[in-house]
Amino acid sequence: MKKFLFLILALPALLLQVSCERQEPEPPEDTTPKDPTEVLTSGKWLQKEQYEYVEATDDWTPYGEVCETDNEWLFLSDGEFSYREGANVCEPDFPINFDGTWNLSPDFEKLFIRSPFLAVDFFVDQFNDSTVTLLMIDETSPDDPPPFKIVLKR
């Protein structure tokens, strides 16, 4: 009986001690900005939206076809670049797939893509882990607004 009484009295004290154990705080969230190259090369990007600049309205208008909204852009860490049409191919007899190279300007404000038949430069307008917005640079009219905007998403 003494053992039983001891257990009854000791149990609350034991529970109190266990419930009051100090819990380790969770580490703070890493708010260090990621290197843009690391973000670009961390997986596939899908071309979700395209816009054309309309001078008459001084605004962006949706541009392109629905079949272009699943095209894949892949930036590899070695500077290689791959563009592939997604499942929605615009012209089945002539799918647009190409490989090339890419690089960012030192200030991360411009993206350059080169392939044997294409050279295009973009201003990087928006950039985060899930969205990259690119404004095409028109080298023939550098003072004019960019003619096209492309939105890439994860």
Side-chain angles (χ1 to χ4, degrees):
M1 183 71 155
K2 287 182 182 179
K3 287 182 182 178
F4 182 70
L5 186 59
F6 175 75
L7 285 175
I8 290 176
L9 294 174
L11 187 59
L14 180 63
L15 290 175
L16 183 62
Q17 183 172 349
V18 170
S19 66
C20 292
E21 281 187 27
R22 196 171 126 181
Q23 294 182 356
E24 293 296 320
E26 291 194 27
E29 184 178 324
D30 183 13
T31 58
T32 307
K34 292 183 181 176
D35 177 85
T37 300
E38 180 184 333
V39 173
L40 274 179
T41 60
S42 64
K44 282 189 269 187
W45 293 88
L46 296 178
Q47 181 175 314
K48 287 303 202 179
E49 302 168 28
Q50 291 184 132
Y51 299 92
E52 177 180 30
Y53 179 76
V54 178
E55 192 172 346
T57 61
D58 191 30
D59 202 4
W60 296 99
T61 300
Y63 174 81
E65 301 178 41
V66 173
C67 59
E68 296 172 314
T69 61
D70 65 348
N71 293 350
E72 298 175 359
W73 296 49
L74 183 63
F75 302 90
L76 300 176
S77 58
D78 64 358
E80 295 293 312
F81 171 78
S82 176
Y83 177 90
R84 299 286 180 262
E85 279 201 78
N88 300 315
V89 178
C90 292
E91 294 184 39
D93 295 333
F94 186 67
I96 300 175
N97 299 309
F98 65 89
D99 298 314
T101 60
W102 72 276
N103 69 315
L104 285 168
S105 63
D107 59 7
F108 305 115
E109 292 183 3
K110 291 183 182 177
L111 172 69
F112 309 100
I113 296 177
R114 302 290 182 264
S115 78
F117 61 91
L118 174 74
V120 65
D121 301 338
F122 297 98
F123 289 113
V124 179
D125 185 51
Q126 178 186 3
F127 189 89
N128 60 47
D129 289 345
S130 62
T131 304
V132 175
T133 302
L134 304 171
L135 304 175
M136 184 181 285
I137 298 172
D138 184 355
E139 296 295 338
T140 62
S141 304
D143 294 332
D144 290 345
F148 297 102
K149 176 169 45 175
I150 297 172
V151 179
L152 307 176
K153 295 194 176 201
R154 293 257 183 225

